[in-house]
Amino acid sequence: MQLLPALLFFLAPITLALPVDTSPIDNPLEIRQSGSITCGSTTYTSSQVTGARNSGYNYVKQGGTAGGSSYPHTYNNYEGFDFLVSGPYYEFPLLKSGAYTGGSPGPDRVIFNGNGQRAGEITHTGASGNSFVGCSGTS
């Protein structure tokens, strides 16, 4: 019976000395944005938002735009959103019916940076003038 307390006394300092993983979450943005996103009264799935971001980022990498439009183009963040990734930022239309290929962009946008990292989603719906407000999850 005396062996057990002696063993615990010996093992306790070793256990306390073991390394503990204190690294930050690998990608807090994707965790925050893993569910659906609502812009005004329109709800998008995470897959729809990711598809729009991927499409926009592909145009940035290739140096082109969608269907002769100006998208994707630089987003200057005049509204001062608190994105979790650093810029420069680009905006690209967010549609329910697939990837934007030109024409009317609608009110909703996905924002991403020059590395293709998703920054957030914004909308003209509920904003004054040509400004934007954040969709759910974007502040």
Side-chain angles (χ1 to χ4, degrees):
M1 288 302 262
Q2 291 182 354
L3 181 60
L4 184 59
L7 186 59
L8 290 176
F9 180 77
F10 176 74
L11 291 178
I14 294 171
T15 304
L16 293 174
L18 291 175
V20 176
D21 183 8
T22 59
S23 61
I25 296 172
D26 289 335
N27 194 343
L29 181 63
E30 290 301 321
I31 290 170
R32 183 186 82 176
Q33 297 178 335
S34 62
S36 61
I37 302 297
T38 301
C39 299
S41 60
T42 304
T43 300
Y44 300 93
T45 65
S46 182
S47 295
Q48 289 171 317
V49 177
T50 298
R53 188 269 324 261
N54 289 346
S55 182
Y57 182 58
N58 284 334
Y59 284 112
V60 168
K61 288 191 302 187
Q62 296 167 6
T65 59
S69 72
S70 66
Y71 294 101
H73 57 244
T74 300
Y75 174 67
N76 293 306
N77 197 15
Y78 295 129
E79 293 83 2
F81 293 109
D82 187 22
F83 297 127
L84 293 180
V85 298
S86 60
Y89 300 113
Y90 297 90
E91 68 174 276
F92 195 72
L94 181 55
L95 306 173
K96 290 286 289 181
S97 60
Y100 176 77
T101 57
S104 174
D108 306 331
R109 306 285 185 275
V110 62
I111 307 299
F112 56 93
N113 69 10
N115 295 322
Q117 296 171 305
R118 193 167 141 197
E121 297 75 35
I122 58 176
T123 182
H124 286 299
T125 302
S128 44
N130 201 31
S131 294
F132 290 101
V133 295
C135 299
S136 63
T138 300
S139 55

